[in-house]
Amino acid sequence: MKELLIGNGAIARGLYEAGCEIVSSYPGTPSTEITELAAKFDDIYCEWAPNEKVAMEVAFGASLRGKRACCAMKHVGLNVAADPLFTLSYTGVTGGLVICVADDPGMHSSQNEQDSRHYAIAAKVPMLEPSDSKEALEFTKKAFELSEEYDTPVIIKMCTRVAHSQSVVELSERVVPEMKPYEKNMQKYIMMPAMAKKRHPFVEERTQKLTALAETSDLNREEWGTGEIGIITSSTSYQYVKEVFGNEASVLKLGMINPLPVERIKNFASKVKKLYIVEELDGIIEAHVKNLGLQVEGKEMFSNIGEFSQSIVAEAFGKEIPAFDSIETAVPMRPPVMCAGCPHRGMYYVLSKNKITVLGDIGCYTLGAQAPLSALDSTLCMGASVSGLHGFNKAGGKETEGKSVCVIGDSTFMHSGVTGLINIAYNGSNSTVIILDNSITGMTGHQQNPTTGYNIKGDPAAKIDLETLCKAVGINRVRVVDPYNLAECEAAVKEELSVDEPSVIISRRPCVLLKSVKLNPPVKVDRDKCKSCKMCMKLGCPAISMHGGKAEIDKTLCVGCGVCEQLCKFDAILEGGAL
Amino acid sequence: MNKSIMIVGVGGQGSLLASKLLGKLLLSEGLDVKVSEVHGMSQRGGSVVTYVRCGQKVYSPVIDKGGADCIVSFEKLEAARWIEYLKKDGVIITNTQQIDPMPVITGAAEYPENILDELSSKVKVDALDALSLATEAGSAKAVNIVLMGRLAKYFDISYDKWISAIETTVAERFVELNKKAFELGYNY
Ligand SMILES: Cc1ncc(C[n+]2csc(CCOP(=O)(O)OP(=O)(O)O)c2C)c(N)n1
C-alpha cells in the first residue's frame, strides 16, 4: 500500500515493521513525531523519558535484555546522551539498537546548528542518512539488521526537511524477531579498563568491516549521468542536486554517512571529469574525499551555514535561477509569540517591571526575551538557567543575589534543572529559582512529562511533586504562586530575593492550549474609560492592540486571563460578560 | 501535471490540514507528491509556510523564489511576505483578513495599508473574504477549506474528487461543514 508520510512517520512505521518493541525518547523538534507516531502502534512500548541520556540508557537496557529498541532526539539531545553513546559503541548490542537524531540546519527551532555526523565519527558508530520518507522507512529496518549483524548501535540521522516532509512510502507487515536469551557477558557489557581495552580493538575492526560494507552496499548508490561532472551528496542535498541536474550529472548518493567508502569514491572520481561535493553544514564528506588525495570542490562553493535549496545549488553551479516579482513596501516581521493567556506572561511582566536579571532556559518561555517584555538575559541550553544562576551569584555575590533569578519550565526542570538546584542547595548560593510550571512540555507541541501525572498514551502515571522534590534536595523556602495574579507574583519575587537563603517559586498554571483548561469569555474595553496610556500593551499580548488611540481586544484570541485588567488604572478593561 | 503550491499563513490557522488534504488528493491522482512543513516554533502565532509539490517525479521538498505556481495565503500580509516565491505567471489566492503581528501591536512597525492593491499591481491576485465565507459555512476555523475550494478552480481535478478527499481527511462530524466551506470558496 502507498501512503504519504512525513519522514518521522516513516521512521515510526519502520520501527513497527522492524519489530522494534521499546522506544524511549525525549521530545525535541524536529524529532518529536518519531516517538509520538510510534506510540500509536499498540505493539510498541513507548515512553517519554525525562531526558535524552535516560532515554538512550533505557534503550540500552532493552537491547541488553534482547529486544529491538530505539531512542529519538534532536541534535542537541545527542549532546546530553553523548556519554552513553560513546561507550555503547564499545559494548555493542544484544537486541538491535537504533538511535534517531534530527538536525536542524537553518535553525527553524533550535539554539544551534551543530552537525550530528561528527558524533558518528567520534563515537565510531555507523550512521545512515535517508533523503526522503521512503528511505527513512527502509533505512530504519536496515539499521536494526546492521545493528545486530555488526554488534553496534546504529544512528539514523534526519534533518528538518526529511523529518517534516511528506513523501510516498510503501508499507509492509511487521516482523518481530525472536527475543534473544539473556546471558551474563561481563567481557562485553562491563566497561571497566581491563574489558574496555579489549573492546576498543573490536570497535576498530568493526569500522573496517563496515567500511567494506560501504564499498558494496546499496545504501550508497551511483547514478550515472549523461554529462561530465560527478557530485557526491546525501540527505536532502541529494534532492536539490537531482532537481537541478536531473540525469545530467553523475551522482554518488551516500546513504551511509559513517563509515564512508574509499575505493568506491576513488572509482566514482575516476569516471567523472570534475568532482564536486554538496553537503549541508560541515564539510565532512569533503574532508574524507580530500584525505583520499582527490581533487574536489565543496565548501569553496557552498556555505557551512544554514540549509540549501535547489536555487542555492543551481546558483553555485552557475545555472540560471527563476525570475520573480517583488514589492517595495517593507513587510513587518511576524515572529512567534507567547499565546494570549499564556501563564508565563504574568510572571515575566513582574520580572521585567522590577528590572530583575533573568537567566533563562529553553521552552515557550524563551519567547519572553522578545519586546515588549524583553525579560531574559541569557539562554544557553536546557537546564543552564539554574546552574548558571548559581555561578552568576557566586561571581556577583550580594550585588546580584538580591536582583537575579532564573526561570525554567516544568519539563526542562525535570530534564536537567534539578541537578542545578541540588548544586545550589549543596554549594549554598543565595539563588532564587522560578519554575514556570504550565503542566506540559509546551514548546515541542504538548508532550506529557514526569510532573503532569500522565504518560505518553495519556494514561494516569506517577506525578512528581515539585514542592516535595525541591524541599528534598535541601531548599527550605518553596512557595507556589498563580501567574495570573500579578500582585501575588510581585510579592513573592520581592520577598524571596530579599531573604538570605536559596528559594524556589513555583509559578503554576496550566498551558491555555490544554484541552482540560476552561477558558473565560474574552475581556472588553470600555472605550470611554480607556485613556490610551498603553499600560496593557506592556504585556505583549497578541490579543491586545491599539486602534484609533484606544486599546482593543481580539475576541478570537483573548481567553479572559484577566492579567491586563489588573494593569489598567482606569478600570477600562472589563471581565467578559460585563458591559 | 507538475505543480508547486505554497500555503502560507499565521501559526494556528490550520494550514497543516489544508496541505494534508491537498497531498492526499494529488497522491490519489497517481502523482508523486512531496509536502514540506515546519513544526515547532513557528506554530506560536508566527509566520508559517508549507510547500506542496507534485509531478511525475518530485525531488526537492521545498519551493524557491520564483518557483510557486500558486500561493494560497490565509492572511494578506503573509501573501506579501512570500510574493517573491511566485512564478512569473503564477497566482496568489489570498484571504483578505488582517492579523496584526507583534511588531505592529507594539507599534514598532506599521501594517502596510494598501497591501492588496500593491500586490495586484505586480502579480495576479485572487482575493476573497474567506473568514466571512467560513463563518457562513458554520465555523471561522474553516478558512483553510474555503481557500482550498478557491484553489480547486486552478486545478484540472474534478469537484467530486476534491469532495471525496475532504471526506477522507477531516473528522466525520465536520465533513458537512467543510463541504459547504469548500463550495463557498469554489463558487465565490
Ligand atoms: C537537549 C535538548 N532537548 C530537547 C530540546 C527541545 N526542547 C526545547 S524546549 C523543550 C521543553 C520545554 O518544555 P517546558 O520546560 O515544560 O516549557 P514550556 O515550553 O512548556 O513553557 C524541549 C523539549 C532542547 N532544546 N534541548
Side-chain angles (χ1 to χ4, degrees):
Chain A
M1 196 176 71
K2 275 191 176 173
E3 216 175 286
L4 264 185
L5 283 182
I6 56 169
N8 285 346
I11 290 200
R13 180 73 202 186
L15 295 173
Y16 172 77
E17 291 180 8
C20 176
E21 294 187 86
I22 313 274
V23 179
S24 182
S25 303
Y26 184 72
T29 315
S31 72
T32 311
E33 301 81 9
I34 295 172
T35 309
E36 279 179 334
L37 296 171
K40 296 215 187 301
F41 296 106
D42 284 334
D43 297 334
I44 311 178
Y45 168 80
C46 294
E47 65 176 31
W48 289 127
N51 68 33
E52 293 86 353
K53 173 170 148 60
V54 173
M56 193 180 288
E57 292 157 353
V58 169
F60 159 73
S63 156
L64 178 65
R65 185 54 196 90
K67 288 193 171 176
R68 288 189 164 182
C70 169
C71 60
M73 61 202 66
K74 69 183 289 167
H75 60 338
V76 287
L78 195 52
N79 301 336
V80 178
D83 198 10
L85 172 69
F86 277 69
T87 308
L88 255 173
S89 171
Y90 280 34
T91 64
V93 305
T94 302
L97 174 50
V98 171
I99 298 160
C100 302
V101 58
D103 284 12
D104 190 15
M107 290 181 277
H108 296 280
S109 40
S110 301
Q111 68 265 39
N112 77 23
E113 207 172 16
Q114 70 188 48
D115 188 329
S116 295
R117 295 178 298 170
H118 293 291
Y119 270 110
I121 297 166
K124 305 179 192 241
V125 164
M127 177 181 262
L128 309 185
E129 199 177 27
S131 68
D132 60 13
S133 298
K134 179 170 172 284
E135 285 186 350
L137 199 165
E138 288 168 4
F139 286 13
T140 304
K141 292 162 80 170
K142 186 79 186 170
F144 279 106
E145 286 168 23
L146 292 181
S147 172
E148 285 161 8
E149 191 181 336
Y150 290 85
D151 191 9
T152 178
V154 176
I155 303 177
I156 295 183
K157 199 219 101 180
M158 300 291 272
C159 65
T160 300
R161 294 302 177 189
V162 178
H164 285 166
S165 292
Q166 300 175 32
S167 56
V168 184
V169 298
E170 223 29 272
L171 307 185
S172 39
E173 295 298 310
R174 173 171 168 95
V175 182
V176 184
E178 211 174 302
M179 184 174 174
K180 306 240 170 65
Y182 180 70
E183 276 167 40
K184 184 164 172 154
N185 185 344
M186 295 167 65
Q187 294 301 321
K188 177 164 154 61
Y189 281 114
I190 301 182
M191 284 302 97
M192 46 202 259
M195 285 83 139
K197 276 180 191 162
K198 290 190 194 128
R199 286 302 284 184
H200 188 186
F202 162 79
V203 171
E204 298 303 332
E205 236 169 79
R206 182 179 71 202
T207 300
Q208 305 252 303
K209 286 184 188 154
L210 284 161
T211 306
L213 175 77
E215 303 289 3
T216 54
S217 168
D218 58 9
L219 285 164
N220 301 326
R221 67 170 184 264
E222 291 80 1
E223 296 177 7
W224 299 108
T226 52
E228 297 187 321
I229 68 162
I231 301 174
I232 306 179
T233 185
S234 73
S235 184
T236 187
S237 300
Y238 162 78
Q239 307 291 359
Y240 305 139
V241 164
K242 290 297 282 189
E243 181 89 26
V244 171
F245 287 98
N247 290 331
E248 197 189 306
S250 294
V251 172
L252 174 56
K253 192 229 173 247
L254 299 169
M256 181 151 82
I257 214 68
N258 188 59
L260 289 167
V262 173
E263 295 310 320
R264 202 163 174 176
I265 290 176
K266 285 185 183 161
N267 179 53
F268 181 77
S270 74
K271 296 205 168 131
V272 298
K273 263 236 169 96
K274 190 144 186 358
L275 187 62
Y276 298 91
I277 290 176
V278 183
E279 59 186 321
E280 280 179 344
L281 299 181
D282 298 335
I284 288 175
I285 304 173
E286 184 175 342
H288 173 78
V289 173
K290 282 189 170 155
N291 263 342
L292 302 179
L294 296 169
Q295 278 283 337
V296 64
E297 264 192 76
K299 289 295 164 188
E300 295 96 329
M301 291 166 64
F302 290 98
S303 176
N304 56 2
I305 299 169
E307 48 176 9
F308 293 170
S309 68
Q310 51 270 40
S311 285
I312 287 178
V313 172
E315 229 173 350
F317 282 98
K319 295 201 162 219
E320 211 182 318
I321 54 168
F324 53 83
D325 290 298
S326 324
I327 50 171
E328 265 113 65
T329 304
V331 177
M333 301 267 286
R334 191 186 297 275
V337 291
M338 286 192 287
C339 306
C342 176
H344 300 329
R345 183 174 284 107
M347 182 54 89
Y348 274 147
Y349 174 75
V350 166
L351 296 174
S352 174
K353 177 186 163 200
N354 289 285
K355 302 203 167 42
I356 288 166
T357 302
V358 182
L359 277 76
D361 223 296
I362 305 198
C364 288
Y365 51 96
T366 312
L367 298 171
Q370 283 163 342
L373 288 164
S374 309
L376 295 185
D377 289 73
S378 74
T379 293
L380 181 66
C381 64
M382 289 187 78
S385 63
V386 185
S387 12
L389 178 66
H390 175 77
F392 194 72
N393 284 337
K394 282 289 175 194
K398 284 261 170 291
E399 195 197 314
T400 62
E401 283 175 352
K403 45 182 191 210
S404 315
V405 301
C406 71
V407 291
I408 183 164
D410 46 293
S411 183
T412 305
F413 184 72
M414 282 291 116
H415 178 279
S416 46
V418 65
T419 38
L421 188 66
I422 290 169
N423 191 45
I424 287 177
Y426 172 54
N427 286 312
S429 68
N430 199 355
S431 296
T432 304
V433 173
I434 301 178
I435 303 176
L436 300 170
D437 177 8
N438 62 354
S439 305
I440 202 75
T441 315
M443 179 92 269
T444 42
H446 278 193
Q447 291 76 33
Q448 303 295 342
N449 70 52
T451 70
T452 66
Y454 295 95
N455 64 20
I456 193 170
K457 293 259 189 195
D459 295 329
K463 183 175 160 71
I464 301 297
D465 183 333
L466 283 173
E467 293 91 309
T468 312
L469 176 63
C470 295
K471 284 189 180 146
V473 306
I475 307 293
N476 297 319
R477 297 184 67 92
V478 180
R479 62 200 282 178
V480 179
V481 297
D482 177 0
Y484 278 1
N485 185 333
L486 295 179
E488 186 188 5
C489 288
E490 187 155 10
V493 168
K494 284 187 169 160
E495 191 177 328
E496 296 312 327
L497 280 174
S498 69
V499 297
D500 241 358
E501 63 174 300
S503 50
V504 171
I505 302 173
I506 301 171
S507 173
R508 178 170 289 151
R509 194 169 258 277
C511 169
V512 282
L513 300 182
L514 284 169
K515 289 214 173 76
S516 55
V517 171
K518 230 186 111 244
L519 306 177
N520 294 323
V523 298
K524 295 177 180 172
V525 176
D526 183 336
R527 288 181 71 89
D528 295 333
K529 286 192 181 167
C530 176
K531 298 281 182 282
S532 316
C533 71
K534 296 192 180 169
M535 268 308 280
C536 54
M537 298 295 292
K538 293 195 172 172
L539 287 171
C541 175
I544 312 175
S545 53
M546 298 295 289
H547 280 277
K550 305 277 180 173
E552 205 171 277
I553 307 290
D554 183 335
K555 288 199 295 271
T556 62
L557 292 176
C558 178
V559 296
C561 75
V563 172
C564 56
E565 246 177 285
Q566 298 166 45
L567 281 186
C568 184
K569 294 193 180 96
F570 307 102
D571 295 327
I573 302 179
L574 311 166
E575 238 169 68
L579 205 72
Chain B
M1 179 170 65
N2 279 310
K3 286 245 190 221
S4 293
I5 297 138
M6 283 168 69
I7 302 173
V8 303
V10 179
Q13 278 192 303
S15 58
L16 285 186
L17 182 75
S19 61
K20 198 169 155 194
L21 173 74
L22 199 50
K24 247 192 196 170
L25 177 76
L26 297 169
L27 186 67
S28 72
E29 288 291 290
L31 295 163
D32 189 18
V33 182
K34 282 194 177 162
V35 180
S36 190
E37 314 152 352
V38 173
H39 304 207
M41 267 304 221
S42 42
Q43 287 171 322
R44 308 272 171 274
S47 175
V48 289
V49 55
T50 305
Y51 308 103
V52 180
R53 305 190 69 212
C54 68
Q56 279 325 307
K57 173 77 193 158
V58 179
Y59 288 109
S60 171
V62 300
I63 298 171
D64 258 310
K65 285 187 179 175
D69 296 287
C70 182
I71 296 177
V72 182
S73 181
F74 287 34
E75 199 271 355
K76 61 186 181 183
L77 189 63
E78 294 310 306
R81 186 183 314 285
W82 297 99
I83 182 178
E84 296 186 348
Y85 282 71
L86 195 67
K87 261 188 199 159
K88 271 298 198 181
D89 55 353
V91 58
I92 293 182
I93 298 171
T94 185
N95 184 5
T96 53
Q97 193 181 350
Q98 168 169 345
I99 301 175
D100 289 346
M102 194 47 74
V104 170
I105 291 179
T106 60
E110 246 172 74
Y111 197 104
E113 224 171 283
N114 302 315
I115 195 70
L116 277 182
D117 294 339
E118 190 177 358
L119 282 177
S120 305
S121 72
K122 299 279 182 182
V123 300
K124 188 172 169 202
V125 176
D126 186 352
L128 65 162
D129 181 354
L131 183 60
S132 296
L133 294 172
T135 312
E136 188 185 330
S139 164
K141 292 218 167 94
V143 162
N144 50 7
I145 304 297
V146 170
L147 290 167
M148 287 299 105
R150 197 68 204 151
L151 175 68
K153 282 275 180 197
Y154 298 85
F155 267 94
D156 265 349
I157 296 177
S158 76
Y159 191 90
D160 292 346
K161 282 192 178 160
W162 280 89
I163 293 297
S164 54
I166 289 177
E167 283 165 350
T168 56
T169 311
V170 308
E172 209 181 314
R173 63 204 157 101
F174 297 125
V175 167
E176 280 316 307
L177 187 161
N178 280 305
K179 276 194 203 167
K180 177 91 184 136
F182 184 85
E183 188 198 323
L184 288 172
Y186 190 86
N187 290 326
Y188 171 75

